[in-house]
Amino acid sequence: MSDEGESILNNQYPEDDLDKAVLFGKQLKTLKVSEPLQEYAETNDFDIHGYVFEAKEEQLREPRVVRVGVIQNSIVADTSQPVVEQRDAIHQVIGKIIHAAADLKVNVLCLQEAWTMPFAFCTRERLPWLEFAESAEFGPSTRFLQKFAKEFNMVIISPILEREENTDLIWNTAVVIDNYGQVKGKHRKNHIPRVGDFNESTYYMEGNTGHPVFKTEFGNIAVNICYGRHHPLNWLMFGLNGAEIVFNPSATVGALSEPLWSLEARTAAIANHYYTCAINRVGTETFPNEFTSGDGQPAHNNFGHFYGSSYITGPDGSRTPSLSRTRNGLLVADLDLNMCRQVRDSWGFRMTMRLEDYAKELTRAASPDFKPQLIN
């Protein structure tokens, strides 16, 4: 649900009469944001909201509280401007928001999918868009973020368009920079959409990095890039590999996916006993040349509104309200990672799953001569 939808509910029903548990799970405490920081955000045209996920107190384990942040943003310069000017303009905006995250002592920060550029893959044009592609290890965006990561003791996840140095292959990649400013690793997008304007296989194919989970000083984190959120087994594998927080940096428009948006990351958190952070960009991006979608509709210069609405969900199903549908924003939350095990113990999904049966059936389903177990 978007921030506007949440506001309508709040205005329509008095607080005491609306059982928000159906929509948001248990009510979360609000994380205090200082007045000067709110003024800084307003001056720089972005929102800040913060919340707290609390686990139950345990006798043998201290709370394991990690403060995460997610950033949603629109592009800045017109898509007709030189590539370096477009990228540098976004860097300037993101730098200001990162300083706000640092002021709030964020431990792990994630940016949106392909944050350094317009989402130009709809155009199917090679130039100039492939000029945004850069090395995951040594590219300008990685270098830009490394200094923030080191200075602010912050793990930063940077989803970019990657050009692999040795092969010149293009990938949709999330770079994980640790809190010492070193590149800890990367993950390449596992599932590539072929839906209307989102026919991204024109530029890159499915990733080859599996389902890595990165062990950091602030918990075990993973990145499920965009379209992977539609695939339950993709979420499952990150959980099986030990993820406690899974970020879902995305770029998706209202007419295509908005009815699904508030559900998918939330249900993944519940099913897999970890926290999920759903991140979407904002704005309508217009391109110099018209393009078609292969659906018989007229050619167009944009393919809709990126509706933002980023949110965070706990393994118990409780979730934050969303960021705006139209404005840049920083969403911050304190996550007690002890909740992951507590919910796992309570619901017993890991105990009751039948992985050995699924493995057999999936192997059978992947066979060219597969026949469904269909009883007439």
Side-chain angles (χ1 to χ4, degrees):
M1 178 175 292
S2 69
D3 63 319
E4 284 83 357
E6 293 154 10
S7 297
I8 291 171
L9 283 173
N10 286 332
N11 293 332
Q12 186 71 25
Y13 299 98
E15 184 76 23
D16 292 341
D17 294 341
L18 177 62
D19 184 4
K20 292 187 176 181
V22 174
L23 296 175
F24 297 104
K26 69 181 181 185
Q27 188 170 356
L28 303 176
K29 292 181 180 178
T30 301
L31 188 68
K32 182 174 176 55
V33 179
S34 70
E35 187 172 328
L37 189 55
Q38 289 286 14
E39 292 176 355
Y40 171 84
E42 188 63 32
T43 299
N44 290 286
D45 198 25
F46 67 93
D47 297 328
I48 300 181
H49 297 288
Y51 301 91
V52 178
F53 291 83
E54 295 180 297
K56 295 178 181 178
E57 184 177 349
E58 298 186 20
Q59 296 182 40
L60 299 181
R61 287 196 305 173
E62 295 294 322
R64 299 175 59 223
V65 178
V66 172
R67 182 164 292 184
V68 302
V70 302
I71 296 175
Q72 66 176 39
N73 62 278
S74 60
I75 62 172
V76 183
D78 189 271
T79 55
S80 63
Q81 297 301 306
V83 166
V84 69
E85 292 183 12
Q86 293 185 56
R87 187 188 65 210
D88 289 352
I90 293 175
H91 279 195
Q92 289 181 19
V93 168
I94 293 302
K96 293 175 181 178
I97 302 177
I98 290 176
H99 275 93
D103 192 83
L104 285 168
K105 308 298 183 188
V106 166
N107 303 126
V108 184
L109 182 71
C110 187
L111 308 180
Q112 67 196 24
E113 182 185 20
W115 69 274
T116 64
M117 61 181 291
F119 208 76
F121 313 126
C122 56
T123 69
R124 300 188 296 282
E125 298 170 334
R126 302 296 182 177
L127 292 174
W129 315 119
L130 285 182
E131 294 188 67
F132 283 97
E134 57 185 274
S135 165
E137 293 78 14
F138 308 108
S141 297
T142 296
R143 294 198 305 269
F144 171 73
L145 294 175
Q146 282 177 308
K147 64 178 186 293
F148 291 123
K150 184 176 181 179
E151 179 181 357
F152 300 134
N153 192 36
M154 183 189 298
V155 174
I156 301 180
I157 301 167
S158 173
I160 61 167
L161 186 63
E162 177 195 5
R163 182 181 292 277
E164 189 173 14
E165 291 188 273
N166 295 329
T167 64
D168 251 0
L169 291 174
I170 303 297
W171 305 93
N172 187 322
T173 300
V175 184
V176 178
I177 303 169
D178 70 21
N179 51 312
Y180 300 99
Q182 301 299 312
V183 173
K184 191 172 188 69
K186 61 188 176 184
H187 172 57
R188 292 168 173 161
K189 188 172 180 176
N190 276 332
H191 298 275
I192 307 300
R194 295 160 175 83
V195 182
D197 290 317
F198 290 86
N199 196 337
E200 298 167 31
S201 59
T202 303
Y203 295 86
Y204 41 78
M205 295 297 286
E206 285 77 8
N208 58 1
T209 54
H211 297 83
V213 173
F214 301 92
K215 189 171 184 177
T216 76
E217 292 187 14
F218 309 112
N220 297 340
I221 65 174
V223 192
N224 181 3
I225 303 173
C226 196
Y227 196 71
R229 71 182 181 276
H230 303 309
H231 295 268
L233 291 179
N234 204 46
W235 291 106
L236 171 67
M237 289 308 303
F238 291 118
L240 292 179
N241 283 331
E244 296 171 301
I245 309 168
V246 179
F247 295 89
N248 177 226
S250 299
T252 184
V253 295
L256 179 68
S257 67
E258 196 162 8
L260 309 177
W261 177 254
S262 63
L263 302 174
E264 289 176 304
R266 188 182 185 195
T267 54
I270 296 167
N272 296 289
H273 307 316
Y274 51 48
Y275 289 91
T276 59
C277 304
I279 312 157
N280 188 27
R281 65 172 62 200
V282 290
T284 301
E285 301 175 1
T286 302
F287 298 93
N289 301 319
E290 289 186 334
F291 50 89
T292 59
S293 304
D295 58 2
Q297 298 300 309
H300 43 281
N301 292 88
N302 76 75
F303 57 103
H305 174 69
F306 293 105
Y307 52 83
S309 305
S310 303
Y311 67 97
I312 297 172
T313 298
D316 63 348
S318 57
R319 55 151 289 188
T320 70
S322 301
L323 288 177
S324 169
R325 293 185 81 255
T326 58
R327 284 172 53 82
N328 291 0
L330 169 65
L331 178 61
V332 176
D334 282 349
L335 317 180
D336 188 340
L337 300 184
N338 283 353
M339 190 193 295
C340 299
R341 180 192 289 177
Q342 291 175 6
V343 174
R344 184 179 299 118
D345 287 347
S346 177
W347 278 100
F349 292 165
R350 181 65 63 88
M351 181 190 304
T352 56
M353 66 171 50
R354 304 290 297 278
L355 289 181
E356 65 283 357
D357 288 344
Y358 298 148
K360 294 175 184 177
E361 292 298 300
L362 289 170
T363 300
R364 191 171 66 85
S367 171
D369 59 355
F370 168 68
K371 291 184 176 62
Q373 189 178 359
L374 184 63
I375 309 299
N376 291 323

